[in-house]
Amino acid sequence: MSGKVRIKDIAEKSGVSVGTVDRILHNRPNVSKTAREKVEKILKEIDYQPNMYASALAYNKSYTFYCIIPKHESETYWEEIEEGVAKACELRRDFHIDVKILYYKRYDYDSFRKTFTECLECNPNGVIVVPSGTDITKEFTDKLHEREIPFVLLDSYMAELKPLSFVGQDSKNSGYFAAKILMLIASQEKEIMLMKQMKDGKLASKQQENREIGFKEYMRSHFPHIKILELDLPLDEDKNEYDGILEEFFKLHPDVHHCITLCSKAHIVGDFFLRNNSKGMQIMGYDMVEKNARCLRKGSISFLIAQHAFMQGFYCVDTLFKYIVLQKEVEPLNYMPIELLTKENVDFYRRTQL
């Protein structure tokens, strides 16, 4: 097989020195046209496939990728992504890869612009970015295209930005799936609550927008008679503020027994139910973060949809590594599995697939 061919074998077949073959394979200068033609003729005849790992190691170049994500608390979806990024760097340390993480404040376009300006000033080899608004993100990605800097979109897919690749769930299908599962236990209800966290009338991400589209599409098609009551919980408020809003909601809607949220904050409602000893309430949420998992184990959350945040972070770095360092083609869409967790299987869930 071509992979077992030695440089010495190629040199003998083409009638040149081992050093000349090595320079040609690594695209180094000081090779005559005649020698290059001889070697390339032999390479074509034997269908030679270079060992890209060995070549990349031999080149001994360093690479810096930047990862731009929202500011966040500990024990969140984003923290797991950071852990996946760190693990990918650890496994590729022989290739001198470093990933620097920059943060922006969600909903704050000035913060996003300041962060991407800082990133561009550092002239990265590749970028991982969680999009903000479409227009402001396009300002950034247009500049990346101009500089021919490859970038991977994480969490929210925006095809119009023309990324090298996307890593995350198929959000619309995920929302459709969430509705289908919820209706296994809520099909006899007249009303259900859709809890959102928004600011200035905007959802946190395109991902959540698409989940809501899928969720409502299923509900319209299969359960049009069930009324969806939307409850907006403001961002970054304390427990007492949330408790007051939830108390008022359930006082006005005493027949609501099922709640869904398409973000990672199901534990806000779950903890409220636990503190108030609410029985018979069913909550469905997203992301296997510890606060949600605790509520799942205690029964105040019935279902969680997991999306392997750790693996998303890992695959983003790995995609840039394969494309930039190994010069391989990469998949344009990398969808994470849509996995359903309950208190019976949550302790068997594994964040990693390494």
Side-chain angles (χ1 to χ4, degrees), residues 8-30:
K8 179 180 179 182
D9 300 325
I10 299 170
E12 290 178 354
K13 287 178 179 292
S14 54
V16 301
S17 69
V18 169
T20 297
V21 174
D22 183 72
R23 285 195 294 275
I24 292 170
L25 292 177
H26 293 94
N27 199 29
R28 298 190 182 110
N30 303 320

Side-chain angles (χ1 to χ4, degrees), residues 42 81 88 100 103 108-109 119-120 134 153 181 195 200 215 237 246-247 257 268 274 292 306 316 320 325 342:
I42 296 301
I81 283 175
K100 299 186 181 300
Y103 303 96
D108 188 332
Y109 287 177
C119 174
L120 290 170
T134 303
L153 290 183
I181 296 301
M195 187 274 276
D200 300 327
F215 172 77
E237 295 292 344
L246 290 167
E247 284 173 5
H257 305 107
I268 293 176
L274 290 174
N292 284 342
C316 283
L320 290 176
V325 181
T342 69

